[in-house]
Amino acid sequence: MNKPKKWIADKIESLDPYKDYIEIWRLSSSYRLNDFMQNFIYALTFPNFIVTDWGSKAVWREDGGKVLHQSTSRVEQTGSANALWWFYGPNDERTLKSIESINKLHVYWAKKYPGAFSYNEDYIYTLAFSATTMHRLKLKMGAPGISEKEKIAAHLFWRDMSKLFYAENGQPITGYPNSFEELVEFCEQYENTPRPTPERANLVANAIYEQFVFRFFPPPLHWFGHQLIRAMSLPTTLKTLGIDHPTQWLRRFSRSLWAIFSGRWKKTLTTQPKAISKKDCGCQAKRKKVFGAR
């Protein structure tokens, strides 16, 4: 059971993070997530990116968009794109092609929501959050963070990735932090910036939570699925989105169970993601009853 993690750790330890940062990122990210963990990280991560009025409008749109009507498909597409970037790295032609398609998609939606894709700090936050997610999540769970080599590699990997994206009107992304520690600091400053509660941001987050809960938990445990996500979410994000925090005992209980859950799912570190089942797709109709057609 520990063999997969051991060979990864041993290989990372043998590499130079300043020269081999792409390989270190590949090793640290591409072999440690299955479809449950990938979906959970998505549900935990994406609401942090739509805390602004302009960001949530571009995602929710007028009727919920894909985040409501094609929710599991959206998760799988995001996961597939991330997996490609993480495995092949920022210099590979497949990554370049994938990110250019994202840039073009942003150009398309920027015409419908002018200004929504023009904020440089939103891009930097997404990049910084992506680089530091696993480190901060481990610390939140009471576990040691990632190693120093992994920190250096994460910082350099996402520095290179930042050069591939552009904001509205083709503006390059600038101001990428100079170290892993500065990435964490940027995230904390962004997250602690007081903001009003955008209505659509609340709807986006709840749609994302519902998708995860419907997909992986039986009806009697839906309440636990919601509490699990909230217990592991950033308090600042929950506050901005107008989502209730879990009670203290549920927060402790959920985190304890999450430690057990994550340990069980790590047994299948190298399994391939499952195809979307009819059951997964069928949850769309149920979820529309919750949110309605807007």
Side-chain angles (χ1 to χ4, degrees):
M1 186 173 85
N2 294 323
K3 188 176 180 181
K5 288 189 292 182
K6 188 176 188 308
W7 79 261
I8 291 173
D10 289 347
K11 182 63 176 178
I12 289 175
E13 188 59 31
S14 71
L15 298 172
D16 181 340
Y18 294 100
K19 296 179 180 178
D20 306 316
Y21 55 90
I22 293 176
E23 185 175 358
I24 291 176
W25 180 266
R26 179 191 302 123
L27 289 166
S28 63
S29 63
S30 296
Y31 298 95
R32 291 175 172 170
L33 295 179
N34 55 27
D35 55 338
F36 174 87
M37 283 292 292
Q38 188 178 75
N39 205 145
F40 176 75
I41 296 296
Y42 172 89
L44 197 63
T45 297
F46 197 78
N48 301 305
F49 302 155
I50 48 87
V51 294
T52 60
D53 182 61
W54 53 86
S56 58
K57 281 182 179 178
V59 173
W60 186 262
R61 300 162 195 166
E62 304 305 320
D63 63 351
K66 290 184 68 174
V67 77
L68 176 63
H69 301 294
Q70 300 177 45
S71 56
T72 299
S73 175
R74 192 182 199 281
V75 172
E76 296 292 344
Q77 289 174 358
T78 300
S80 295
N82 286 336
L84 186 149
W85 304 346
W86 299 346
F87 190 85
Y88 292 110
N91 301 323
D92 190 273
E93 189 64 32
R94 285 159 288 198
T95 299
L96 299 177
K97 183 178 179 180
S98 173
I99 292 181
E100 184 56 26
S101 70
I102 300 295
N103 285 329
K104 289 180 179 179
L105 191 64
H106 288 171
V107 169
Y108 171 82
W109 286 108
K111 294 176 181 178
K112 297 180 179 297
Y113 299 95
F117 297 89
S118 64
Y119 295 85
N120 187 79
E121 63 269 25
D122 291 350
Y123 288 86
I124 295 295
Y125 177 68
T126 302
L127 294 160
F129 193 95
S130 299
T132 60
T133 295
M134 294 311 298
H135 177 70
R136 299 175 75 196
L137 183 58
K138 287 183 175 183
L139 294 178
K140 192 178 185 72
M141 291 168 60
I146 64 177
S147 69
E148 288 303 313
K149 284 192 175 183
E150 288 176 293
K151 289 179 182 179
I152 295 169
H155 172 255
L156 296 177
F157 181 93
W158 287 97
R159 177 204 63 188
D160 288 2
M161 292 290 287
S162 72
K163 300 173 183 178
L164 306 181
F165 293 94
Y166 50 81
E168 202 162 320
N169 298 318
Q171 292 298 311
I173 307 304
T174 60
Y176 183 80
N178 295 317
S179 67
F180 186 87
E181 289 70 28
E182 288 187 21
L183 289 172
V184 174
E185 182 180 355
F186 185 94
C187 287
E188 292 175 346
Q189 290 179 349
Y190 187 96
E191 292 154 3
N192 285 284
T193 300
R195 306 177 192 276
T197 299
E199 178 187 5
R200 288 181 177 85
N202 178 282
L203 294 171
V204 170
N206 277 295
I208 288 171
Y209 295 166
E210 288 289 339
Q211 181 275 329
F212 172 71
V213 168
F214 271 116
R215 187 178 184 187
F216 291 105
F217 293 87
L221 288 179
H222 281 185
W223 68 273
F224 173 69
H226 282 285
Q227 292 298 322
L228 176 63
I229 297 175
R230 295 182 188 188
M232 301 306 297
S233 294
L234 294 171
T236 51
T237 297
L238 295 178
K239 180 179 179 181
T240 300
L241 300 182
I243 295 173
D244 293 335
H245 295 252
T247 61
Q248 186 173 9
W249 78 267
L250 276 173
R251 187 160 57 244
R252 292 175 179 173
F253 177 66
S254 297
R255 289 179 183 175
S256 297
L257 281 182
W258 171 246
I260 298 173
F261 252 123
S262 61
R264 287 181 59 195
W265 286 103
K266 285 177 183 176
K267 293 180 182 180
T268 54
L269 287 173
T270 57
T271 56
Q272 295 297 318
K274 299 176 183 177
I276 302 172
S277 67
K278 292 182 179 179
K279 181 179 179 181
D280 293 332
C281 297
C283 74
Q284 308 302 327
K286 295 180 183 178
R287 296 173 64 258
K288 287 177 184 177
K289 290 182 180 179
V290 177
F291 293 96
R294 293 173 64 91

PDB file of all heavy atoms in Angstrom, residues 1-10 27 31-32 266-270:
ATOM      1  N   MET A   1       0.827  -1.219   0.000  1.00  0.00           N
ATOM      2  CA  MET A   1       0.000   0.000   0.000  1.00  0.00           C
ATOM      3  C   MET A   1       0.854   1.257   0.000  1.00  0.00           C
ATOM      4  O   MET A   1       0.519   2.270  -0.582  1.00  0.00           O
ATOM      5  CB  MET A   1      -0.920   0.003   1.227  1.00  0.00           C
ATOM      6  CG  MET A   1      -1.930   1.153   1.234  1.00  0.00           C
ATOM      7  SD  MET A   1      -3.113   1.012   2.582  1.00  0.00           S
ATOM      8  CE  MET A   1      -2.211   1.769   3.904  1.00  0.00           C
ATOM      9  N   ASN A   2       2.026   1.211   0.670  1.00  0.00           N
ATOM     10  CA  ASN A   2       2.877   2.389   0.739  1.00  0.00           C
ATOM     11  C   ASN A   2       3.884   2.465  -0.399  1.00  0.00           C
ATOM     12  O   ASN A   2       4.567   3.447  -0.551  1.00  0.00           O
ATOM     13  CB  ASN A   2       3.629   2.407   2.077  1.00  0.00           C
ATOM     14  CG  ASN A   2       2.696   2.589   3.243  1.00  0.00           C
ATOM     15  OD1 ASN A   2       1.728   3.332   3.139  1.00  0.00           O
ATOM     16  ND2 ASN A   2       2.953   1.908   4.353  1.00  0.00           N
ATOM     17  N   LYS A   3       3.980   1.376  -1.188  1.00  0.00           N
ATOM     18  CA  LYS A   3       4.987   1.331  -2.244  1.00  0.00           C
ATOM     19  C   LYS A   3       4.851   2.450  -3.261  1.00  0.00           C
ATOM     20  O   LYS A   3       5.844   3.091  -3.624  1.00  0.00           O
ATOM     21  CB  LYS A   3       4.950  -0.024  -2.934  1.00  0.00           C
ATOM     22  CG  LYS A   3       6.094  -0.224  -3.927  1.00  0.00           C
ATOM     23  CD  LYS A   3       6.077  -1.616  -4.502  1.00  0.00           C
ATOM     24  CE  LYS A   3       7.216  -1.808  -5.488  1.00  0.00           C
ATOM     25  NZ  LYS A   3       7.194  -3.160  -6.079  1.00  0.00           N
ATOM     26  N   PRO A   4       3.624   2.760  -3.768  1.00  0.00           N
ATOM     27  CA  PRO A   4       3.520   3.846  -4.747  1.00  0.00           C
ATOM     28  C   PRO A   4       4.057   5.165  -4.224  1.00  0.00           C
ATOM     29  O   PRO A   4       4.798   5.861  -4.903  1.00  0.00           O
ATOM     30  CB  PRO A   4       2.006   3.916  -5.013  1.00  0.00           C
ATOM     31  CG  PRO A   4       1.512   2.553  -4.705  1.00  0.00           C
ATOM     32  CD  PRO A   4       2.335   2.092  -3.556  1.00  0.00           C
ATOM     33  N   LYS A   5       3.710   5.523  -2.971  1.00  0.00           N
ATOM     34  CA  LYS A   5       4.179   6.777  -2.411  1.00  0.00           C
ATOM     35  C   LYS A   5       5.693   6.760  -2.209  1.00  0.00           C
ATOM     36  O   LYS A   5       6.351   7.782  -2.358  1.00  0.00           O
ATOM     37  CB  LYS A   5       3.472   7.050  -1.083  1.00  0.00           C
ATOM     38  CG  LYS A   5       2.013   7.435  -1.226  1.00  0.00           C
ATOM     39  CD  LYS A   5       1.434   7.910   0.082  1.00  0.00           C
ATOM     40  CE  LYS A   5       1.346   6.783   1.088  1.00  0.00           C
ATOM     41  NZ  LYS A   5       0.727   7.225   2.351  1.00  0.00           N
ATOM     42  N   LYS A   6       6.239   5.613  -1.841  1.00  0.00           N
ATOM     43  CA  LYS A   6       7.659   5.543  -1.541  1.00  0.00           C
ATOM     44  C   LYS A   6       8.507   5.768  -2.791  1.00  0.00           C
ATOM     45  O   LYS A   6       9.491   6.512  -2.754  1.00  0.00           O
ATOM     46  CB  LYS A   6       8.002   4.196  -0.903  1.00  0.00           C
ATOM     47  CG  LYS A   6       9.435   4.118  -0.382  1.00  0.00           C
ATOM     48  CD  LYS A   6       9.696   2.814   0.315  1.00  0.00           C
ATOM     49  CE  LYS A   6      11.067   2.821   0.997  1.00  0.00           C
ATOM     50  NZ  LYS A   6      12.155   3.212   0.097  1.00  0.00           N
ATOM     51  N   TRP A   7       8.137   5.138  -3.909  1.00  0.00           N
ATOM     52  CA  TRP A   7       8.960   5.331  -5.101  1.00  0.00           C
ATOM     53  C   TRP A   7       8.871   6.759  -5.612  1.00  0.00           C
ATOM     54  O   TRP A   7       9.855   7.298  -6.141  1.00  0.00           O
ATOM     55  CB  TRP A   7       8.610   4.321  -6.188  1.00  0.00           C
ATOM     56  CG  TRP A   7       7.373   4.596  -7.018  1.00  0.00           C
ATOM     57  CD1 TRP A   7       6.148   4.048  -6.860  1.00  0.00           C
ATOM     58  CD2 TRP A   7       7.267   5.465  -8.149  1.00  0.00           C
ATOM     59  NE1 TRP A   7       5.281   4.518  -7.815  1.00  0.00           N
ATOM     60  CE2 TRP A   7       5.941   5.393  -8.621  1.00  0.00           C
ATOM     61  CE3 TRP A   7       8.178   6.305  -8.812  1.00  0.00           C
ATOM     62  CZ2 TRP A   7       5.472   6.128  -9.710  1.00  0.00           C
ATOM     63  CZ3 TRP A   7       7.713   7.049  -9.905  1.00  0.00           C
ATOM     64  CH2 TRP A   7       6.389   6.946 -10.351  1.00  0.00           C
ATOM     65  N   ILE A   8       7.714   7.384  -5.423  1.00  0.00           N
ATOM     66  CA  ILE A   8       7.570   8.782  -5.831  1.00  0.00           C
ATOM     67  C   ILE A   8       8.473   9.665  -4.976  1.00  0.00           C
ATOM     68  O   ILE A   8       9.219  10.510  -5.489  1.00  0.00           O
ATOM     69  CB  ILE A   8       6.103   9.234  -5.724  1.00  0.00           C
ATOM     70  CG1 ILE A   8       5.255   8.525  -6.772  1.00  0.00           C
ATOM     71  CG2 ILE A   8       5.997  10.750  -5.896  1.00  0.00           C
ATOM     72  CD1 ILE A   8       3.773   8.784  -6.633  1.00  0.00           C
ATOM     73  N   ALA A   9       8.402   9.479  -3.661  1.00  0.00           N
ATOM     74  CA  ALA A   9       9.216  10.291  -2.756  1.00  0.00           C
ATOM     75  C   ALA A   9      10.707  10.083  -3.015  1.00  0.00           C
ATOM     76  O   ALA A   9      11.493  11.040  -3.025  1.00  0.00           O
ATOM     77  CB  ALA A   9       8.874   9.951  -1.309  1.00  0.00           C
ATOM     78  N   ASP A  10      11.094   8.830  -3.247  1.00  0.00           N
ATOM     79  CA  ASP A  10      12.507   8.543  -3.511  1.00  0.00           C
ATOM     80  C   ASP A  10      12.982   9.193  -4.808  1.00  0.00           C
ATOM     81  O   ASP A  10      14.096   9.734  -4.880  1.00  0.00           O
ATOM     82  CB  ASP A  10      12.725   7.024  -3.595  1.00  0.00           C
ATOM     83  CG  ASP A  10      12.594   6.337  -2.239  1.00  0.00           C
ATOM     84  OD1 ASP A  10      12.584   7.055  -1.218  1.00  0.00           O
ATOM     85  OD2 ASP A  10      12.478   5.102  -2.214  1.00  0.00           O
ATOM     86  N   LEU A  27       5.468  14.054 -10.950  1.00  0.00           N
ATOM     87  CA  LEU A  27       5.478  12.973  -9.962  1.00  0.00           C
ATOM     88  C   LEU A  27       4.576  13.277  -8.771  1.00  0.00           C
ATOM     89  O   LEU A  27       3.891  12.392  -8.261  1.00  0.00           O
ATOM     90  CB  LEU A  27       6.913  12.736  -9.472  1.00  0.00           C
ATOM     91  CG  LEU A  27       7.874  12.099 -10.476  1.00  0.00           C
ATOM     92  CD1 LEU A  27       9.313  12.238  -9.990  1.00  0.00           C
ATOM     93  CD2 LEU A  27       7.518  10.640 -10.699  1.00  0.00           C
ATOM     94  N   TYR A  31       0.162  11.136  -9.915  1.00  0.00           N
ATOM     95  CA  TYR A  31      -0.001   9.773  -9.422  1.00  0.00           C
ATOM     96  C   TYR A  31      -0.741   9.716  -8.087  1.00  0.00           C
ATOM     97  O   TYR A  31      -0.822   8.663  -7.480  1.00  0.00           O
ATOM     98  CB  TYR A  31       1.369   9.106  -9.266  1.00  0.00           C
ATOM     99  CG  TYR A  31       2.115   8.973 -10.571  1.00  0.00           C
ATOM    100  CD1 TYR A  31       3.043   9.934 -10.954  1.00  0.00           C
ATOM    101  CD2 TYR A  31       1.882   7.896 -11.425  1.00  0.00           C
ATOM    102  CE1 TYR A  31       3.734   9.818 -12.158  1.00  0.00           C
ATOM    103  CE2 TYR A  31       2.559   7.775 -12.624  1.00  0.00           C
ATOM    104  CZ  TYR A  31       3.485   8.741 -12.983  1.00  0.00           C
ATOM    105  OH  TYR A  31       4.167   8.640 -14.178  1.00  0.00           O
ATOM    106  N   ARG A  32      -1.270  10.826  -7.645  1.00  0.00           N
ATOM    107  CA  ARG A  32      -1.834  10.864  -6.300  1.00  0.00           C
ATOM    108  C   ARG A  32      -3.314  11.214  -6.250  1.00  0.00           C
ATOM    109  O   ARG A  32      -3.874  11.435  -5.185  1.00  0.00           O
ATOM    110  CB  ARG A  32      -1.036  11.855  -5.439  1.00  0.00           C
ATOM    111  CG  ARG A  32       0.375  11.366  -5.133  1.00  0.00           C
ATOM    112  CD  ARG A  32       1.199  12.379  -4.393  1.00  0.00           C
ATOM    113  NE  ARG A  32       2.480  11.807  -3.963  1.00  0.00           N
ATOM    114  CZ  ARG A  32       3.491  12.519  -3.459  1.00  0.00           C
ATOM    115  NH1 ARG A  32       3.372  13.815  -3.334  1.00  0.00           N
ATOM    116  NH2 ARG A  32       4.598  11.920  -3.086  1.00  0.00           N
ATOM    117  N   LYS A 266      -6.348   6.597  -1.350  1.00  0.00           N
ATOM    118  CA  LYS A 266      -4.972   6.541  -1.830  1.00  0.00           C
ATOM    119  C   LYS A 266      -4.554   5.139  -2.237  1.00  0.00           C
ATOM    120  O   LYS A 266      -3.536   4.948  -2.895  1.00  0.00           O
ATOM    121  CB  LYS A 266      -4.019   7.075  -0.751  1.00  0.00           C
ATOM    122  CG  LYS A 266      -4.051   8.588  -0.629  1.00  0.00           C
ATOM    123  CD  LYS A 266      -3.165   9.060   0.493  1.00  0.00           C
ATOM    124  CE  LYS A 266      -3.271  10.572   0.660  1.00  0.00           C
ATOM    125  NZ  LYS A 266      -2.480  11.046   1.804  1.00  0.00           N
ATOM    126  N   LYS A 267      -5.322   4.128  -1.824  1.00  0.00           N
ATOM    127  CA  LYS A 267      -5.011   2.763  -2.217  1.00  0.00           C
ATOM    128  C   LYS A 267      -5.120   2.590  -3.732  1.00  0.00           C
ATOM    129  O   LYS A 267      -4.537   1.684  -4.312  1.00  0.00           O
ATOM    130  CB  LYS A 267      -5.963   1.775  -1.535  1.00  0.00           C
ATOM    131  CG  LYS A 267      -5.775   1.689  -0.031  1.00  0.00           C
ATOM    132  CD  LYS A 267      -6.764   0.683   0.556  1.00  0.00           C
ATOM    133  CE  LYS A 267      -6.632   0.602   2.066  1.00  0.00           C
ATOM    134  NZ  LYS A 267      -7.600  -0.370   2.648  1.00  0.00           N
ATOM    135  N   THR A 268      -5.904   3.472  -4.362  1.00  0.00           N
ATOM    136  CA  THR A 268      -6.113   3.352  -5.806  1.00  0.00           C
ATOM    137  C   THR A 268      -5.472   4.521  -6.552  1.00  0.00           C
ATOM    138  O   THR A 268      -6.023   5.063  -7.484  1.00  0.00           O
ATOM    139  CB  THR A 268      -7.620   3.299  -6.120  1.00  0.00           C
ATOM    140  OG1 THR A 268      -8.261   4.440  -5.531  1.00  0.00           O
ATOM    141  CG2 THR A 268      -8.240   2.037  -5.580  1.00  0.00           C
ATOM    142  N   LEU A 269      -4.282   4.898  -6.104  1.00  0.00           N
ATOM    143  CA  LEU A 269      -3.599   6.069  -6.668  1.00  0.00           C
ATOM    144  C   LEU A 269      -3.387   5.977  -8.169  1.00  0.00           C
ATOM    145  O   LEU A 269      -3.421   6.984  -8.863  1.00  0.00           O
ATOM    146  CB  LEU A 269      -2.225   6.214  -5.990  1.00  0.00           C
ATOM    147  CG  LEU A 269      -2.245   6.705  -4.536  1.00  0.00           C
ATOM    148  CD1 LEU A 269      -0.840   6.632  -3.961  1.00  0.00           C
ATOM    149  CD2 LEU A 269      -2.761   8.116  -4.457  1.00  0.00           C
ATOM    150  N   THR A 270      -3.144   4.785  -8.664  1.00  0.00           N
ATOM    151  CA  THR A 270      -2.786   4.663 -10.074  1.00  0.00           C
ATOM    152  C   THR A 270      -3.939   4.203 -10.948  1.00  0.00           C
ATOM    153  O   THR A 270      -3.740   3.878 -12.113  1.00  0.00           O
ATOM    154  CB  THR A 270      -1.617   3.676 -10.234  1.00  0.00           C
ATOM    155  OG1 THR A 270      -1.996   2.415  -9.677  1.00  0.00           O
ATOM    156  CG2 THR A 270      -0.378   4.181  -9.528  1.00  0.00           C
TER     157      THR A 270
END
